[in-house]
Short mmCIF file of all heavy atoms in Angstrom, two decimals:
data_model
loop_
_atom_site.label_atom_id
_atom_site.label_comp_id
_atom_site.label_asym_id
_atom_site.label_seq_id
_atom_site.Cartn_x
_atom_site.Cartn_y
_atom_site.Cartn_z
N ALA A 1 89.18 89.13 109.63
CA ALA A 1 89.36 89.27 108.19
C ALA A 1 90.84 89.19 107.82
O ALA A 1 91.22 88.54 106.84
CB ALA A 1 88.76 90.60 107.73
N GLY A 2 91.68 89.85 108.60
CA GLY A 2 93.12 89.82 108.32
C GLY A 2 93.69 88.41 108.40
O GLY A 2 94.51 88.01 107.56
N ALA A 3 93.25 87.63 109.40
CA ALA A 3 93.76 86.26 109.55
C ALA A 3 93.33 85.38 108.38
O ALA A 3 94.14 84.61 107.85
CB ALA A 3 93.27 85.68 110.87
N LEU A 4 92.06 85.48 107.98
CA LEU A 4 91.58 84.64 106.88
C LEU A 4 92.29 84.95 105.57
O LEU A 4 92.67 84.05 104.82
CB LEU A 4 90.07 84.81 106.72
CG LEU A 4 89.19 84.11 107.75
CD1 LEU A 4 87.72 84.41 107.50
CD2 LEU A 4 89.42 82.60 107.70
N VAL A 5 92.46 86.24 105.27
CA VAL A 5 93.12 86.61 104.02
C VAL A 5 94.59 86.20 104.05
O VAL A 5 95.15 85.74 103.05
CB VAL A 5 92.97 88.13 103.75
CG1 VAL A 5 93.76 88.53 102.51
CG2 VAL A 5 91.50 88.48 103.56
N THR A 6 95.24 86.36 105.21
CA THR A 6 96.64 85.94 105.33
C THR A 6 96.78 84.45 105.04
O THR A 6 97.64 84.02 104.27
CB THR A 6 97.19 86.25 106.73
OG1 THR A 6 97.07 87.64 107.00
CG2 THR A 6 98.66 85.84 106.84
N GLY A 7 95.93 83.65 105.67
CA GLY A 7 96.01 82.20 105.48
C GLY A 7 95.66 81.75 104.08
O GLY A 7 96.12 80.69 103.64
N SER A 8 94.86 82.55 103.37
CA SER A 8 94.45 82.19 102.01
C SER A 8 95.37 82.76 100.94
O SER A 8 95.22 82.43 99.76
CB SER A 8 93.02 82.71 101.75
OG SER A 8 92.12 82.21 102.72
N ALA A 9 96.30 83.62 101.34
CA ALA A 9 97.13 84.33 100.36
C ALA A 9 98.05 83.38 99.60
O ALA A 9 98.60 82.44 100.17
CB ALA A 9 97.96 85.40 101.07
N SER A 10 98.20 83.65 98.32
CA SER A 10 99.14 82.89 97.49
C SER A 10 100.35 83.75 97.14
O SER A 10 101.29 83.26 96.51
CB SER A 10 98.46 82.41 96.21
OG SER A 10 97.93 83.51 95.47
N ILE A 11 100.32 85.02 97.53
CA ILE A 11 101.41 85.96 97.25
C ILE A 11 101.88 86.53 98.58
O ILE A 11 101.09 86.93 99.43
CB ILE A 11 100.92 87.11 96.32
CG1 ILE A 11 100.42 86.53 95.00
CG2 ILE A 11 102.06 88.10 96.07
CD1 ILE A 11 99.77 87.57 94.10
N TYR A 12 103.19 86.57 98.75
CA TYR A 12 103.78 87.03 100.01
C TYR A 12 103.33 88.44 100.36
O TYR A 12 102.99 88.72 101.52
CB TYR A 12 105.31 86.97 99.88
CG TYR A 12 106.07 87.63 101.01
CD1 TYR A 12 106.10 87.07 102.28
CD2 TYR A 12 106.78 88.81 100.79
CE1 TYR A 12 106.81 87.66 103.31
CE2 TYR A 12 107.49 89.41 101.82
CZ TYR A 12 107.50 88.84 103.07
OH TYR A 12 108.20 89.43 104.08
N ALA A 13 103.30 89.37 99.41
CA ALA A 13 102.92 90.75 99.68
C ALA A 13 101.50 90.84 100.22
O ALA A 13 101.21 91.66 101.09
CB ALA A 13 103.08 91.61 98.42
N VAL A 14 100.60 90.00 99.69
CA VAL A 14 99.22 89.99 100.17
C VAL A 14 99.18 89.50 101.62
O VAL A 14 98.44 90.04 102.45
CB VAL A 14 98.34 89.10 99.27
CG1 VAL A 14 96.94 88.94 99.86
CG2 VAL A 14 98.25 89.68 97.85
N ALA A 15 99.96 88.48 101.94
CA ALA A 15 100.01 87.97 103.31
C ALA A 15 100.51 89.04 104.27
O ALA A 15 99.96 89.20 105.36
CB ALA A 15 100.91 86.73 103.37
N VAL A 16 101.54 89.78 103.87
CA VAL A 16 102.07 90.85 104.71
C VAL A 16 101.02 91.92 104.96
O VAL A 16 100.81 92.37 106.09
CB VAL A 16 103.34 91.47 104.08
CG1 VAL A 16 103.78 92.71 104.85
CG2 VAL A 16 104.48 90.45 104.05
N ALA A 17 100.33 92.34 103.88
CA ALA A 17 99.31 93.39 104.01
C ALA A 17 98.14 92.92 104.87
O ALA A 17 97.64 93.67 105.72
CB ALA A 17 98.82 93.81 102.63
N ALA A 18 97.70 91.68 104.67
CA ALA A 18 96.56 91.17 105.43
C ALA A 18 96.91 91.00 106.91
O ALA A 18 96.08 91.29 107.78
CB ALA A 18 96.10 89.84 104.84
N TRP A 19 98.13 90.55 107.19
CA TRP A 19 98.53 90.41 108.59
C TRP A 19 98.66 91.77 109.26
O TRP A 19 98.44 91.90 110.46
CB TRP A 19 99.82 89.61 108.69
CG TRP A 19 100.12 89.13 110.07
CD1 TRP A 19 101.23 89.38 110.80
CD2 TRP A 19 99.29 88.31 110.90
NE1 TRP A 19 101.16 88.77 112.04
CE2 TRP A 19 99.97 88.11 112.13
CE3 TRP A 19 98.04 87.73 110.73
CZ2 TRP A 19 99.44 87.36 113.17
CZ3 TRP A 19 97.50 86.98 111.77
CH2 TRP A 19 98.20 86.80 112.97
N ALA A 20 98.99 92.79 108.47
CA ALA A 20 99.02 94.15 109.00
C ALA A 20 97.62 94.62 109.39
O ALA A 20 97.44 95.37 110.36
CB ALA A 20 99.63 95.11 107.99
N VAL A 21 96.59 94.19 108.65
CA VAL A 21 95.20 94.50 109.02
C VAL A 21 94.87 93.88 110.37
O VAL A 21 94.22 94.49 111.22
CB VAL A 21 94.23 93.98 107.93
CG1 VAL A 21 92.78 94.11 108.40
CG2 VAL A 21 94.42 94.76 106.63
N ASN A 22 95.34 92.66 110.58
CA ASN A 22 95.16 92.03 111.88
C ASN A 22 95.82 92.86 112.97
O ASN A 22 95.27 93.02 114.07
CB ASN A 22 95.75 90.62 111.85
CG ASN A 22 95.42 89.81 113.09
OD1 ASN A 22 96.05 89.98 114.13
ND2 ASN A 22 94.44 88.94 112.98
N GLY A 23 96.98 93.43 112.67
CA GLY A 23 97.67 94.28 113.63
C GLY A 23 96.89 95.53 113.98
O GLY A 23 96.87 95.97 115.14
N ALA A 24 96.22 96.13 112.97
CA ALA A 24 95.40 97.32 113.22
C ALA A 24 94.27 96.99 114.19
O ALA A 24 93.99 97.74 115.14
CB ALA A 24 94.84 97.85 111.90
N GLY A 25 93.61 95.86 113.95
CA GLY A 25 92.55 95.45 114.87
C GLY A 25 93.07 95.17 116.25
O GLY A 25 92.43 95.50 117.26
N SER A 26 94.26 94.57 116.33
CA SER A 26 94.86 94.27 117.61
C SER A 26 95.13 95.54 118.42
O SER A 26 94.93 95.56 119.64
CB SER A 26 96.18 93.50 117.40
OG SER A 26 96.85 93.28 118.61
N ALA A 27 95.58 96.61 117.75
CA ALA A 27 95.85 97.87 118.44
C ALA A 27 94.58 98.40 119.11
O ALA A 27 94.60 98.83 120.26
CB ALA A 27 96.39 98.90 117.45
N ILE A 28 93.48 98.37 118.38
CA ILE A 28 92.22 98.89 118.92
C ILE A 28 91.68 97.99 120.02
O ILE A 28 91.22 98.47 121.07
CB ILE A 28 91.19 99.04 117.78
CG1 ILE A 28 91.70 100.05 116.74
CG2 ILE A 28 89.84 99.49 118.34
CD1 ILE A 28 90.85 100.13 115.50
N LEU A 29 91.75 96.67 119.81
CA LEU A 29 91.23 95.74 120.82
C LEU A 29 92.00 95.87 122.13
O LEU A 29 91.40 95.96 123.21
CB LEU A 29 91.34 94.31 120.29
CG LEU A 29 90.88 93.22 121.27
CD1 LEU A 29 89.39 93.33 121.54
CD2 LEU A 29 91.24 91.83 120.73
N PHE A 30 93.34 95.88 122.04
CA PHE A 30 94.15 95.95 123.26
C PHE A 30 93.91 97.27 123.98
O PHE A 30 93.80 97.31 125.21
CB PHE A 30 95.63 95.79 122.91
CG PHE A 30 96.51 95.66 124.12
CD1 PHE A 30 96.71 94.43 124.72
CD2 PHE A 30 97.13 96.76 124.67
CE1 PHE A 30 97.53 94.31 125.84
CE2 PHE A 30 97.95 96.65 125.78
CZ PHE A 30 98.14 95.42 126.37
N ALA A 31 93.82 98.36 123.23
CA ALA A 31 93.58 99.66 123.85
C ALA A 31 92.23 99.69 124.56
O ALA A 31 92.10 100.25 125.65
CB ALA A 31 93.65 100.76 122.79
N ALA A 32 91.21 99.09 123.96
CA ALA A 32 89.88 99.07 124.56
C ALA A 32 89.87 98.26 125.86
O ALA A 32 89.29 98.68 126.86
CB ALA A 32 88.87 98.49 123.57
N GLN A 33 90.54 97.11 125.85
CA GLN A 33 90.58 96.30 127.06
C GLN A 33 91.39 96.99 128.15
O GLN A 33 91.03 96.96 129.33
CB GLN A 33 91.17 94.93 126.73
CG GLN A 33 90.25 94.09 125.85
CD GLN A 33 90.82 92.71 125.57
OE1 GLN A 33 92.03 92.53 125.48
NE2 GLN A 33 89.95 91.73 125.42
N TYR A 34 92.49 97.61 127.74
CA TYR A 34 93.33 98.32 128.71
C TYR A 34 92.55 99.50 129.31
O TYR A 34 92.60 99.75 130.51
CB TYR A 34 94.58 98.83 128.00
CG TYR A 34 95.79 98.93 128.90
CD1 TYR A 34 96.81 98.00 128.83
CD2 TYR A 34 95.88 99.94 129.84
CE1 TYR A 34 97.92 98.10 129.66
CE2 TYR A 34 96.96 100.05 130.68
CZ TYR A 34 97.97 99.12 130.58
OH TYR A 34 99.05 99.21 131.41
N SER A 35 91.83 100.23 128.46
CA SER A 35 91.04 101.36 128.92
C SER A 35 90.00 100.92 129.95
O SER A 35 89.77 101.58 130.96
CB SER A 35 90.35 102.04 127.72
OG SER A 35 89.51 103.08 128.14
N TYR A 36 89.39 99.78 129.69
CA TYR A 36 88.39 99.24 130.62
C TYR A 36 89.02 98.99 132.00
O TYR A 36 88.48 99.40 133.02
CB TYR A 36 87.82 97.95 130.04
CG TYR A 36 86.67 97.38 130.85
CD1 TYR A 36 85.35 97.63 130.50
CD2 TYR A 36 86.90 96.59 131.98
CE1 TYR A 36 84.30 97.12 131.23
CE2 TYR A 36 85.86 96.07 132.73
CZ TYR A 36 84.56 96.34 132.34
OH TYR A 36 83.53 95.84 133.08
#
């Protein structure tokens, strides 16, 4: 979701916020794989 909204954004602030959502998902994904 973060990637799609970032790529579709027409306003810089929206792109920053959406890419931050991608970062939140990345934190959880990496932690889960590392835990495994």
Side-chain angles (χ1 to χ4, degrees):
L4 284 178
V5 175
T6 302
S8 304
S10 58
I11 300 173
Y12 171 70
V14 173
V16 172
W19 194 237
V21 171
N22 189 280
S26 175
I28 298 172
L29 178 66
F30 188 85
Q33 292 182 327
Y34 210 105
S35 176
Y36 186 97

